[in-house]
Amino acid sequence: MDIAADRIWTDFRTLRETTPLVLSLTNSVVREFTANAVLALGASPIMSDAFEEIAELVGIAGALNLNIGTPTPRSAEAMALAAATAKAKGIPIALDPVAVGATQMRRKLVDRLLSIATPTVIRGNQAEIAALAGLASVARGVDAVGNLDQAHAVVHQLAKQTGAIVVASGATDYVSDGNTVIAIENGHPLMARTTGSGCVATAVIAAFLTVSSHPFSAAISAMIVMDLAGELAADHSRTEGPGSFRVRFLDAFDKLEPELIEQRMKLNKL
Amino acid sequence: MDIAADRIWTDFRTLRETTPLVLSLTNSVVREFTANAVLALGASPIMSDAFEEIAELVGIAGALNLNIGTPTPRSAEAMALAAATAKAKGIPIALDPVAVGATQMRRKLVDRLLSIATPTVIRGNQAEIAALAGLASVARGVDAVGNLDQAHAVVHQLAKQTGAIVVASGATDYVSDGNTVIAIENGHPLMARTTGSGCVATAVIAAFLTVSSHPFSAAISAMIVMDLAGELAADHSRTEGPGSFRVRFLDAFDKLEPELIEQRMKLNKL
Amino acid sequence: MDIAADRIWTDFRTLRETTPLVLSLTNSVVREFTANAVLALGASPIMSDAFEEIAELVGIAGALNLNIGTPTPRSAEAMALAAATAKAKGIPIALDPVAVGATQMRRKLVDRLLSIATPTVIRGNQAEIAALAGLASVARGVDAVGNLDQAHAVVHQLAKQTGAIVVASGATDYVSDGNTVIAIENGHPLMARTTGSGCVATAVIAAFLTVSSHPFSAAISAMIVMDLAGELAADHSRTEGPGSFRVRFLDAFDKLEPELIEQRMKLNKL
């Protein structure tokens, strides 16, 4: 698999030209930030958690972003219907299993969604991916608790188990299709000090699923774009702090250039 | 109809002196940004979507902002009761029919609200206003898709149909009372790259409804204040991007001055 | 009671070292800002309003933040269960009675929560604290309407009535354990122009409850840290406005230093 900077740039440019509609059923904490990030990226966000309208909305969407961060019985039904509709219509699904290890409700909801439709991509932090893979969970709440040993092996395993592309984001991001594992060494620690940066990554992956020829490369392109936006934002806000970083992160998508991607991307096949 | 800069300034100053309470039943994506914009404007925001308390809250509010952006069966009931209570108490209503063309649920909710009480003002993007007017909808999700031909005619028609003042915002904003159509050429393209700028405009209109002598002039004053805040924000963030723009937009209400309104406003009677 | 700057610093440093998990059941307007502030402070936020999972989440939390700002029948049940679970497990509770004087629903919910478990700390603006203490309420919506005469007496009275530490925030913050009243003269008027600054203060108090040896000193440390973050943010944004202030506020926690606390804190025992 050859992921060159110019391919990432082509995906990104195509995304900006086609402004795909990304439908998010996401948690109530990060809706605004996610919508702004999708818009800043160059796609078009729409959000709902109403069972009554979700099938119609899936029908006009280019991709579906499912995030279980603040589950309710009603939103679970809406997510289930959205997943079934997306499967029937061939619309790609990105799934974010927020804090899946923390409660039975979250675990059951993810299991249900996985049984309805294999997501095109699953993205979580390393603790969430480990919990999903059935390993003893070290999740504590919604934040990652550092790099797991053998994170790449866990990502590989979950991709094989589910048939989805799996992304575990962290200081190093791992992306696997069940055969290959790619490690991405980009990004910045300030991303972990911003609520919703993981949720945004999953929405960005959903957007890229509408333009890339293959979901594996879509997930990689999306993570590179996220991480480099984070690096650019940190360049402009590192001495200021996490509030300024959030603002600069939304600014950064407009600053991405082919040369910058070429120079900065650190992608290794494990 | 004579809309002079000093009248807009007088409305804005009166708003800041009286800090009207603006009650919003709005979508879950833009609540924080809307509350901050209402507060930065100089009014006082309160939000709820609980049927159980909404009649009491309407009773203490100066104006009611109804936004259907993330409808649920429960919020629909709360909006219906809020509209009926506002009508009974003579409290002005601003209605934002977000993505009304996208789903049956949204269309039915707007039809129901219109049957309960004629809003004082309806504000949407041009696709939403066209969908409401019964034209073949070109809406796609929540974002406008460019200027419609004859947008001013659509605004005029919906105002005549409903008896509400109608605002279609876009690169050019059109405002009509069913007789006259006013075109406003202010604002900045970065406003369309910020989630919720339309929703905020409707909340700002609601705030101005508490101070202007006539809802037509309230809608115009509100759109001028919104657009000039957007222009000032763009002056300070244009080279940075949409994240910085959002921040500067909230800063900009404090920078408005009578001379600036006089010099910048571009308002034409069609 | 001796509150020295070095004690506040020690609490803050301990908080940053232990990154306590703060579980918030809070209103839908301020979730993102609250999560970001808790994260910027150095704690770890998690949010939910699902009855179905709330007992599990309380079980892993260091402190519970209950905020009634946008009540629903479902969130009321979740809050009641969370309060009961926290009481059973000895987990500290911070309660924010947003606009409690505005509707019967809010008053009943607060009364119910108080009957289930005495909060460790109750924080509101002066109108909310007065309404809770049974005084004729001057509350109007969610914003404070200026300093009440005798605010310190009201805080003292509510603390005696409830057995909770009570904080009334405003231009002067008052904190009482039912015996002593402490007045804090820090902070900045821009804090009142930011939606959710009060809600954030309560979440910050919750975080400090996990590290201080006594809830009275936790509440005082938290309010000093909040107010000084506000002062630092105002130093950097005063000529810009409320949008920039919000950003700088999230940056400011990283800038706190022992010397700065020592020099700036204005704390008086009444």
Side-chain angles (χ1 to χ4, degrees):
Chain A
M1 167 134 219
D2 178 39
I3 299 285
D6 60 358
R7 176 163 176 179
I8 294 168
W9 178 251
T10 300
D11 284 351
F12 183 47
R13 201 182 51 197
T14 305
L15 188 157
R16 294 206 138 196
E17 285 165 2
T18 55
T19 61
L21 190 63
V22 177
L23 172 61
S24 292
L25 284 77
T26 190
N27 72 73
S28 58
V29 183
V30 304
R31 284 179 195 167
E32 185 184 297
F33 188 51
T34 304
N36 275 305
V38 167
L39 200 53
L41 175 71
S44 182
I46 190 165
M47 294 189 178
S48 172
D49 54 8
F51 180 87
E52 292 78 6
E53 68 170 2
I54 208 70
E56 276 175 279
L57 291 177
V58 172
I60 59 171
L64 176 62
N65 171 36
L66 297 177
N67 176 305
I68 67 156
T70 51
T72 66
R74 275 189 53 82
S75 72
E77 294 308 314
M79 285 191 195
L81 178 56
T85 309
K87 183 182 184 186
K89 291 181 184 291
I91 291 164
I93 301 171
L95 173 66
D96 195 324
V98 180
V100 65
T103 70
Q104 289 300 311
M105 184 188 199
R106 290 168 195 242
R107 180 77 214 197
K108 284 181 190 164
L109 175 53
V110 169
D111 286 346
R112 182 177 175 196
L113 294 174
L114 292 176
S115 74
I116 292 170
T118 300
T120 320
V121 180
I122 301 170
R123 189 220 63 86
N125 61 38
Q126 294 179 358
E128 291 158 353
I129 297 301
L132 262 191
L135 302 183
S137 172
V138 296
R140 199 205 54 172
V142 294
D143 296 312
V145 288
N147 277 9
L148 297 181
D149 289 342
Q150 309 293 326
H152 67 278
V154 176
V155 170
H156 187 237
Q157 179 183 325
L158 186 64
K160 286 189 80 163
Q161 285 173 0
T162 59
I165 305 295
V166 174
V167 181
S169 52
T172 301
D173 302 324
Y174 298 97
V175 187
S176 179
D177 64 352
N179 293 309
T180 308
V181 181
I182 299 287
I184 302 172
E185 302 277 356
N186 292 104
H188 192 274
L190 277 167
M191 296 174 84
R193 297 198 62 208
T194 289
T195 293
S197 63
C199 304
V200 164
T202 311
V204 169
I205 289 170
F208 272 93
L209 287 174
T210 67
V211 292
S212 278
S213 54
H214 192 282
F216 194 16
S217 63
I220 294 166
S221 291
M223 293 309 294
I224 292 280
V225 164
M226 271 296 295
D227 284 348
L228 294 186
E231 291 183 15
L232 289 179
D235 289 348
H236 285 87
S237 62
R238 154 179 307 155
T239 60
E240 294 165 334
S244 295
F245 176 79
R246 282 174 82 72
V247 173
R248 296 297 189 173
F249 175 75
L250 293 177
D251 288 344
F253 294 107
D254 287 3
K255 319 292 188 196
L256 293 176
E257 298 281 356
E259 296 72 25
L260 184 139
I261 297 173
E262 177 75 40
Q263 288 160 13
R264 292 218 186 192
M265 66 183 269
K266 297 180 192 164
L267 189 150
N268 295 298
K269 185 173 167 180
L270 298 188
Chain B
M1 166 135 223
D2 179 39
I3 299 287
D6 60 358
R7 176 163 177 177
I8 294 167
W9 178 252
T10 300
D11 284 351
F12 182 48
R13 202 183 50 198
T14 305
L15 188 157
R16 295 206 137 196
E17 285 165 3
T18 55
T19 60
L21 190 63
V22 177
L23 172 61
S24 292
L25 285 77
T26 191
N27 71 74
S28 58
V29 183
V30 304
R31 283 179 195 166
E32 185 185 298
F33 188 50
T34 303
N36 274 306
V38 167
L39 200 52
L41 176 71
S44 183
I46 189 164
M47 295 189 178
S48 172
D49 53 9
F51 180 87
E52 293 77 6
E53 67 169 1
I54 208 69
E56 276 175 279
L57 292 177
V58 173
I60 59 170
L64 175 62
N65 172 35
L66 297 177
N67 177 305
I68 67 155
T70 51
T72 66
R74 276 190 51 82
S75 71
E77 294 308 313
M79 285 192 195
L81 178 57
T85 309
K87 183 183 183 184
K89 292 181 183 290
I91 290 164
I93 302 170
L95 174 66
D96 195 324
V98 180
V100 65
T103 71
Q104 289 300 310
M105 184 188 199
R106 290 168 196 244
R107 180 78 213 198
K108 284 181 189 164
L109 176 52
V110 169
D111 286 345
R112 181 178 175 195
L113 294 174
L114 292 176
S115 74
I116 292 171
T118 300
T120 320
V121 180
I122 301 170
R123 191 222 61 85
N125 61 39
Q126 295 178 358
E128 290 157 355
I129 297 301
L132 261 192
L135 303 183
S137 173
V138 297
R140 199 204 56 171
V142 294
D143 296 312
V145 288
N147 277 6
L148 297 181
D149 290 340
Q150 308 294 328
H152 68 279
V154 176
V155 170
H156 187 236
Q157 180 184 325
L158 187 63
K160 285 189 80 164
Q161 285 174 1
T162 58
I165 306 295
V166 173
V167 181
S169 53
T172 302
D173 302 324
Y174 297 97
V175 187
S176 179
D177 64 352
N179 293 309
T180 308
V181 180
I182 299 288
I184 302 172
E185 302 277 356
N186 292 105
H188 192 275
L190 276 167
M191 297 174 82
R193 297 197 62 207
T194 289
T195 292
S197 62
C199 304
V200 164
T202 310
V204 170
I205 290 170
F208 272 92
L209 287 174
T210 66
V211 293
S212 278
S213 54
H214 192 282
F216 194 15
S217 63
I220 294 165
S221 291
M223 293 309 293
I224 292 281
V225 163
M226 272 295 295
D227 284 347
L228 295 186
E231 291 184 14
L232 289 178
D235 289 349
H236 285 87
S237 61
R238 158 177 305 156
T239 61
E240 293 164 334
S244 294
F245 175 80
R246 282 175 80 74
V247 174
R248 295 296 189 172
F249 176 75
L250 294 177
D251 287 345
F253 294 107
D254 287 2
K255 317 293 188 196
L256 293 176
E257 298 283 353
E259 297 71 27
L260 184 140
I261 297 173
E262 178 75 40
Q263 289 160 13
R264 292 219 188 192
M265 65 182 269
K266 296 180 191 164
L267 188 151
N268 296 297
K269 185 172 165 180
L270 299 188
Chain C
M1 168 136 220
D2 179 39
I3 299 285
D6 61 356
R7 177 161 177 181
I8 294 167
W9 179 251
T10 300
D11 284 350
F12 182 48
R13 202 183 49 200
T14 305
L15 188 157
R16 294 205 139 196
E17 285 165 4
T18 55
T19 60
L21 190 64
V22 177
L23 172 62
S24 292
L25 285 77
T26 190
N27 71 75
S28 57
V29 183
V30 304
R31 284 179 195 167
E32 184 184 298
F33 188 50
T34 303
N36 275 304
V38 167
L39 199 52
L41 176 71
S44 182
I46 190 165
M47 296 190 177
S48 173
D49 53 8
F51 180 87
E52 292 77 6
E53 68 170 0
I54 208 68
E56 276 175 280
L57 291 176
V58 173
I60 59 171
L64 175 62
N65 172 36
L66 297 177
N67 176 304
I68 67 155
T70 50
T72 66
R74 274 189 53 82
S75 71
E77 294 308 313
M79 285 191 195
L81 178 57
T85 309
K87 184 183 183 183
K89 291 182 183 292
I91 291 164
I93 302 170
L95 173 66
D96 195 325
V98 181
V100 65
T103 70
Q104 290 300 310
M105 184 188 199
R106 289 168 196 243
R107 179 78 213 197
K108 284 181 191 164
L109 175 53
V110 169
D111 286 346
R112 181 178 176 194
L113 294 174
L114 292 176
S115 74
I116 292 170
T118 299
T120 320
V121 180
I122 302 171
R123 190 220 61 88
N125 61 40
Q126 295 179 357
E128 290 157 355
I129 297 301
L132 261 192
L135 303 183
S137 172
V138 297
R140 199 203 56 169
V142 293
D143 297 311
V145 289
N147 276 9
L148 297 180
D149 289 341
Q150 310 291 329
H152 67 278
V154 176
V155 170
H156 187 236
Q157 180 183 322
L158 187 63
K160 286 189 80 162
Q161 284 174 2
T162 57
I165 306 295
V166 174
V167 180
S169 53
T172 301
D173 301 324
Y174 298 97
V175 186
S176 179
D177 64 352
N179 294 309
T180 309
V181 181
I182 299 287
I184 302 172
E185 303 276 356
N186 292 105
H188 192 274
L190 276 168
M191 297 172 85
R193 297 197 62 208
T194 289
T195 292
S197 62
C199 304
V200 164
T202 311
V204 169
I205 289 170
F208 273 92
L209 287 174
T210 66
V211 292
S212 278
S213 54
H214 192 281
F216 194 15
S217 64
I220 294 166
S221 291
M223 292 309 292
I224 292 280
V225 164
M226 271 295 295
D227 284 348
L228 295 186
E231 292 184 14
L232 289 178
D235 288 348
H236 284 88
S237 61
R238 155 178 305 155
T239 61
E240 294 165 334
S244 294
F245 175 79
R246 282 174 82 73
V247 174
R248 295 296 190 172
F249 175 75
L250 293 178
D251 288 345
F253 295 106
D254 286 2
K255 318 291 188 197
L256 293 175
E257 297 282 354
E259 297 72 25
L260 185 139
I261 297 172
E262 177 75 39
Q263 289 160 13
R264 292 217 186 193
M265 66 182 269
K266 297 180 190 164
L267 187 151
N268 296 298
K269 186 173 166 181
L270 298 188

